[in-house]
Amino acid sequence: MAAKVPRNFRLLEELEKGEKGLGAEACSYGLADGDDLLMSNWNGTILGPPHSAHENRIYSLNIHCGDSYPDLPPTVQFVSKINLPCVDQRTGKVDPSRLPCLSQWKREYTMETILIELRRYMALPQHKKLPQPAEGTTFGVHRVACFALYRALLRQSSLLPLAEHQQSTLRHSIQKTFRKYTDVQSERRVTVALRAGYDALELLEKATEGDASLVTRIADLTSALPPPSASRKGPGLPGSPRRPRVWPFPGATPVLSRPYPGPLSGRRHVPKLVYAQAVPILRFKKPQSPYLSRVIRDKVNDMQKMITRVQDVSIQLQEAREEDRWDSMVRNFCGRSTSLKDEEIEPRWALEVADALEDLHGKIGKEKDRRAQTAKEMYRIVVEEQKLAQAEREQGRSEKKLAKRLARAQCEQYL
């Protein structure tokens, strides 16, 4: 009977595999928070299968590995909106009973198994043509609540019977805390943060209504906070050490300039075309060079920033259209005419936002086309390297046979 691998060892293996891009080409995953010692919360990405409604789309997911993982399956929740029978359309949670790998979970399965199974589920004939939400929309069920809580905390902090500098310090602390957790997507962490925020709001409301003990307590806590000017890093204070920049090896030739016609000093190493988090690369040997890891990390971060920007601008576009609808109602109520040609073609609030969204989609499309073209070039290099390696092996065999015949002929001559 094989020994069971402990949870932390298993997750460390999956983390290493995900960071090095050794898994499936169209799926990637990694820790949501690098400081998460329990390695419970993960982010996943799925590239939509071709020849379907999901083609050229990138879907983001949250994966939570509980204390019983891998004996029990993790919980999976889509961040990007998607229309699938196994996904709750309100929260984005995946129903374990409707996805085979979750309903029939085995200890050998991994997070990569789930992502591959979801991608295969998208490509099923009955699912691949389902109408999908607009690209870039998310299951932002907590977004409105977070904004409402943020505004309510700032409003209540301004109503407290405190000195002006104390109110300013408290408002700055609230803004700093919300800014710190802007990128948190874990449902568990968002829920805990909202509960803490609502408890703080309740205390502020009671203090505003005249609870003197609470006012004194809040004043004492505020006096312990650094003022807004002192909280910023001064010019003379040393910053945290930065990771040294990794550069390519001096004199290294570009990868796409291959294949080398030869002759080579040793055996030719044929590269492998792999995808590291949807970035095509040629892998010649292991371990992977630090420079290549930096390039992959930069490309993934740039793409993720554009996708996040698309999501934000999509929400702004909806808000702009609501503003245009409100302006139209006001004009109709006031009896003003709407004879401007540009307003009849496109509402003035949504015009710039729609152009920005279209520009972002164009940049993402160009990056995808660039990666596809790079992958084609790399595939051509792999094919030509294989042909050259085969020819060199055959030439080496023939040279060895010729050398043996010459050696035998010389032996016979001496005899």
Side-chain angles (χ1 to χ4, degrees):
M1 181 178 178
K4 283 188 175 182
V5 180
R7 174 185 182 274
N8 288 351
F9 288 174
R10 171 68 173 275
L11 290 174
L12 283 173
E13 291 178 0
E14 296 193 44
L15 177 62
E16 182 180 9
K17 187 176 180 181
E19 287 183 341
K20 293 185 177 180
L22 303 177
E25 298 176 354
C27 305
S28 61
Y29 55 92
L31 272 177
D33 184 4
D35 298 329
D36 185 5
L37 299 179
L38 298 178
M39 294 181 287
S40 299
N41 300 305
W42 297 68
N43 292 332
T45 303
I46 300 176
L47 182 63
H51 312 297
S52 67
H54 311 282
E55 187 173 11
N56 293 330
R57 290 194 177 199
I58 299 177
Y59 294 101
S60 300
L61 306 89
N62 289 335
I63 305 174
H64 177 73
C65 299
D67 296 336
S68 302
Y69 181 85
D71 294 318
L72 294 178
T75 58
V76 184
Q77 182 180 16
F78 273 86
V79 177
S80 306
K81 276 196 173 182
I82 186 172
N83 180 21
L84 285 176
C86 69
V87 179
D88 189 330
Q89 294 305 305
R90 293 186 300 105
T91 62
K93 288 186 176 181
V94 176
D95 186 358
S97 63
R98 307 191 71 171
L99 193 67
C101 71
L102 293 179
S103 59
Q104 304 170 10
W105 179 259
K106 297 181 181 179
R107 203 176 194 278
E108 295 77 20
Y109 290 168
T110 62
M111 285 180 278
E112 182 184 355
T113 307
I114 299 174
L115 297 177
I116 294 174
E117 182 70 19
L118 281 170
R119 190 169 188 267
R120 190 179 297 118
Y121 191 84
M122 297 177 193
L124 291 177
Q126 63 270 30
H127 300 155
K128 66 180 183 179
K129 296 299 182 182
L130 291 175
Q132 298 299 321
E135 187 174 2
T137 55
T138 60
F139 290 100
V141 291
H142 299 298
R143 186 178 181 88
V144 176
C146 291
F147 275 118
L149 177 62
Y150 175 71
R151 296 190 182 99
L153 287 171
L154 290 179
R155 183 171 59 253
Q156 288 297 327
S157 64
S158 300
L159 298 177
L160 287 172
L162 297 175
E164 179 61 31
H165 70 278
Q166 291 178 317
Q167 292 184 356
S168 176
T169 302
L170 184 58
R171 286 195 300 270
H172 175 74
S173 177
I174 295 171
Q175 294 169 349
K176 184 179 178 181
T177 303
F178 271 82
R179 198 179 308 121
K180 179 180 178 181
Y181 297 104
T182 299
D183 297 329
V184 172
Q185 296 181 349
S186 170
E187 180 182 2
R188 182 182 63 84
R189 295 182 64 186
V190 170
T191 303
V192 171
L194 284 175
R195 286 175 181 172
Y198 287 132
D199 291 343
L201 180 61
E202 184 178 358
L203 292 176
L204 292 178
E205 289 175 348
K206 290 181 179 179
T208 305
E209 292 172 358
D211 192 329
S213 61
L214 281 179
V215 173
T216 305
R217 181 182 173 188
I218 293 173
D220 293 340
L221 292 175
T222 305
S223 61
L225 295 173
S229 59
S231 63
R232 298 188 180 95
K233 186 188 299 184
L237 297 177
S240 58
R242 299 184 62 181
R243 181 184 299 177
R245 190 75 169 174
V246 183
W247 300 99
F249 188 78
T253 57
V255 176
L256 296 182
S257 64
R258 293 175 178 266
Y260 300 144
L264 302 179
S265 58
R267 185 171 63 88
R268 181 182 295 272
H269 295 279
V270 178
K272 293 182 179 180
L273 175 59
V274 297
Y275 282 82
Q277 301 189 26
V279 178
I281 63 172
L282 286 178
R283 176 164 289 146
F284 291 88
K285 61 179 181 179
K286 296 181 181 180
Q288 186 170 286
S289 69
Y291 174 69
L292 181 57
S293 300
R294 180 180 72 79
V295 171
I296 295 173
R297 185 169 58 251
D298 290 347
K299 287 183 176 294
V300 171
N301 291 340
D302 292 343
M303 177 61 78
Q304 186 59 45
K305 286 179 182 177
M306 286 193 289
I307 293 174
T308 304
R309 183 59 181 157
V310 166
Q311 296 171 356
D312 295 340
V313 175
S314 299
I315 296 173
Q316 294 174 9
L317 182 59
Q318 297 174 4
E319 296 174 351
R321 286 171 177 167
E322 292 296 330
E323 291 289 344
D324 291 325
R325 191 175 294 112
W326 171 254
D327 287 349
S328 177
M329 293 171 59
V330 171
R331 285 195 297 267
N332 293 335
F333 180 78
C334 297
R336 296 177 59 185
S337 62
T338 56
S339 59
L340 296 177
K341 296 291 184 64
D342 57 345
E343 291 188 1
E344 293 175 357
I345 297 173
E346 180 70 29
R348 61 187 181 90
W349 286 98
L351 177 61
E352 298 296 333
V353 183
D355 290 343
L357 185 61
E358 183 179 358
D359 181 62
L360 286 170
H361 280 298
K363 290 181 179 179
I364 293 176
K366 289 180 180 179
E367 178 61 24
K368 291 179 180 178
D369 293 341
R370 191 181 302 113
R371 292 185 183 182
Q373 184 62 31
T374 303
K376 289 180 181 179
E377 290 292 325
M378 290 181 174
Y379 180 73
R380 177 189 61 80
I381 291 173
V382 171
V383 172
E384 294 183 3
E385 289 274 8
Q386 289 174 346
K387 292 179 180 179
L388 289 173
Q390 180 65 23
E392 290 174 359
R393 282 195 296 268
E394 293 176 356
Q395 182 181 358
R397 293 192 193 103
S398 61
E399 289 177 353
K400 285 182 180 179
K401 291 179 181 179
L402 179 59
K404 286 181 180 179
R405 284 199 296 267
L406 291 175
R408 192 180 300 113
Q410 289 178 358
C411 289
E412 292 175 355
Q413 183 180 0
Y414 287 123
L415 295 176

